[in-house]
Amino acid sequence: MSYNERICSVEPSKSVTLLARAKELQKTDSEIINLTGGEPDFPTPAPICEEVNRQLALGYTHYTDSRGNEDLRIRIAIKLNEENDAPYTKDQILITPGAKLAVYLAIRALINPGDEAIWLTPGWVSYPSIVEVSGGVPVAVHLKYEEDYRITLEALEAAVTERTKLLILNYPNNPTGRILRPSDIEALSAFLRNHPNIYVLSDEIYEKVIYDGCPVVSMASFPEFFDRVIVVNGFSKCSAMTGWRVGYLACNPELYAVVLKLFQHSMSCTSGFLQKGALVAMDCKEDTERMRQAYEKRRDLLVKGIAAIPGVEFAAPSGAFYAWVKFDTQMDSGELCEDLLERAKIAGVPGNAYGEEDVTCVRFSFATDEESLKEMLGRLEKYAAECL
């Protein structure tokens, strides 16, 4: 029996695989500290759950508009206009079962066989795989640790060819927590002016998880690039709704028509009662801020704690809830993660899963309780003293 060659050739998601493995190991070893998952440890805010229960009681369980609930699309359009300076209308917004599917739909609708998509590393593990299963070629631009992962025009130009169709951005970034800085925006703007036929996929799923009052800038806010930018976002990270699977994308009308056809022939629609919950989530700003403050406190705890450990470095992220930690070791990141799990019972995700080549980094999620993080710091200090 033969199967789809493109799908068969793609590696499984390392982050999802390691999360499942760590959870399985915890069943027989309660001492394992699982810091692999990109999942808020807070419950979904009560008003959201209450609204969904109300909708279920009302029998709102049937097919919905493929584009998504109109009230929700209106609210998202208002949000994009007011918060992101991105003038999308409700008819340019598609509600999807999770932001990950929105990424897939956008890439699948854009890429023809042999087209190339540039992605910046370290970057989310699924971008290159989705490009590959869509028949495209992922081209990595390796940003440098010693330059604080700054984007440069030279690096982008070195990656572009006549087949380049798409540039994938993810800020705040998973796994590094970096945001777009003025110099990054300057480099991106120059690149896009040089190549007017290249689209931008802007994954902004962590935009509400930011620290130190840092501004979050979307490339869709620049009028000269607006028609070429596809914004992807959702409710998983900001509202602790990972299992609900509600996301969205926004793009120009021509691309939207292609994406919608693919969506109609695959998913048909997103669950209606869950969309009603997402609509309520847009008013749960106090809950979102409470979670953000907790993440910031945890970040500061790790920054202070890791600074005292020789052989380990952690630069404070400006967004997301990950500690991107560099280790002074001859092991590669995969070997290091196995060693940390065996010796210290700490589970993280290796940096090479995100395309990091030059240094040994591990991603630890700090979307977990402070006591676990304090225990992790103690174990990490002992591990470093004995093994680094």
Side-chain angles (χ1 to χ4, degrees):
M1 181 70 68
S2 62
Y3 303 99
N4 185 286
E5 294 179 359
R6 286 176 181 156
I7 298 175
C8 290
S9 66
V10 169
E11 292 292 325
S13 169
K14 289 186 179 179
S15 58
V16 173
T17 301
L18 287 169
L19 174 61
R21 180 188 174 198
K23 286 184 175 181
E24 191 66 26
L25 290 172
Q26 283 180 313
K27 293 179 181 179
T28 55
D29 189 346
S30 61
E31 291 187 10
I32 291 175
I33 301 175
N34 182 6
L35 304 178
T36 59
E39 180 170 43
D41 60 314
F42 298 98
T44 304
I48 303 171
C49 300
E50 291 166 1
E51 176 61 15
V52 168
N53 286 329
R54 190 176 77 87
Q55 294 297 329
L56 287 170
L58 291 171
Y60 191 61
T61 57
H62 299 284
Y63 286 130
T64 61
D65 187 328
S66 290
R67 297 169 299 174
N69 177 278
E70 184 175 29
D71 290 337
L72 180 57
R73 289 187 288 118
I74 289 171
R75 285 297 304 276
I76 291 171
I78 292 171
K79 178 262 180 205
L80 290 170
N81 278 260
E82 294 181 350
E83 297 182 13
N84 304 101
D85 296 318
Y88 293 104
T89 69
K90 68 178 179 65
D91 294 325
Q92 293 175 271
I93 294 163
L94 177 69
I95 311 300
T96 60
K100 182 181 283 189
L101 183 64
V103 171
Y104 173 80
L105 291 169
I107 293 175
R108 190 73 179 87
L110 268 175
I111 295 295
N112 287 305
D115 285 345
E116 297 176 0
I118 294 172
W119 69 295
L120 310 180
T121 71
W124 183 49
V125 297
S126 292
Y127 296 135
S129 297
I130 292 173
V131 172
E132 288 177 355
V133 299
S134 299
V137 180
V139 178
V141 170
H142 297 290
L143 306 182
K144 298 182 181 299
Y145 179 89
E146 60 272 18
E147 295 177 357
D148 198 25
Y149 298 117
R150 294 189 180 277
I151 302 170
T152 67
L153 178 59
E154 292 75 18
L156 293 172
E157 291 290 355
V160 74
T161 74
E162 61 183 14
R163 297 306 303 267
T164 304
K165 189 75 167 289
L166 178 65
L167 169 64
I168 302 172
L169 303 177
N170 171 216
Y171 291 93
N173 177 264
N174 172 14
T176 68
R178 299 300 178 263
I179 61 172
L180 285 178
R181 295 154 288 195
S183 63
D184 300 318
I185 295 170
E186 182 179 349
L188 289 168
S189 297
F191 177 76
L192 292 174
R193 290 188 192 108
N194 291 344
H195 305 282
N197 294 320
I198 293 178
Y199 269 79
V200 176
L201 193 159
S202 182
D203 183 347
E204 301 175 8
I205 192 69
Y206 293 98
E207 68 160 350
K208 297 293 185 182
V209 187
I210 53 174
Y211 312 119
D212 308 317
C214 292
V216 174
V217 179
S218 172
M219 293 305 294
S221 67
F222 297 92
E224 62 181 310
F225 309 129
F226 173 71
D227 284 340
R228 290 194 276 156
V229 178
I230 309 154
V231 169
V232 169
N233 210 326
F235 298 87
S236 290
K237 314 301 181 181
C238 65
S239 299
M241 294 171 64
T242 48
W244 295 59
R245 312 314 299 144
V246 184
Y248 62 87
L249 65 78
C251 62
N252 71 48
E254 292 77 16
L255 177 59
Y256 187 93
V258 180
V259 171
L260 182 59
K261 282 195 292 185
L262 177 59
F263 186 65
Q264 289 173 335
H265 284 298
S266 54
M267 293 301 299
S268 296
C269 64
T270 300
S271 173
F273 55 88
L274 297 181
Q275 292 184 68
K276 292 284 190 177
L279 184 59
V280 171
M282 300 200 72
D283 291 322
C284 294
K285 296 180 180 180
E286 291 182 1
D287 295 280
T288 296
E289 175 60 15
R290 176 176 53 83
M291 288 185 272
R292 189 205 66 79
Q293 290 179 6
Y295 297 139
E296 188 165 31
K297 184 179 179 183
R298 297 169 186 177
R299 178 203 67 164
D300 294 343
L301 171 69
L302 291 180
V303 168
K304 181 178 180 181
I306 292 176
I309 302 176
V312 186
E313 296 179 9
F314 173 41
S318 297
F321 39 62
Y322 304 113
W324 183 245
V325 181
K326 177 180 175 295
F327 289 78
D328 184 9
T329 176
Q330 296 301 309
M331 288 184 281
D332 66 31
S333 57
E335 295 168 336
L336 175 62
C337 280
E338 290 292 337
D339 205 47
L340 280 168
L341 186 59
E342 179 180 346
R343 295 174 181 269
K345 297 188 178 182
I346 302 171
V349 185
N352 56 21
Y354 304 96
E356 175 59 85
E357 294 183 330
D358 299 330
V359 293
T360 300
C361 290
V362 176
R363 192 198 80 169
F364 299 112
S365 170
F366 52 85
T368 191
D369 63 277
E370 287 188 30
E371 290 306 311
S372 295
L373 295 176
K374 290 176 182 177
E375 176 66 23
M376 172 264 204
L377 287 171
R379 295 187 193 180
L380 200 59
E381 183 176 21
K382 183 176 184 292
Y383 176 87
E386 294 176 354
C387 304
L388 297 182

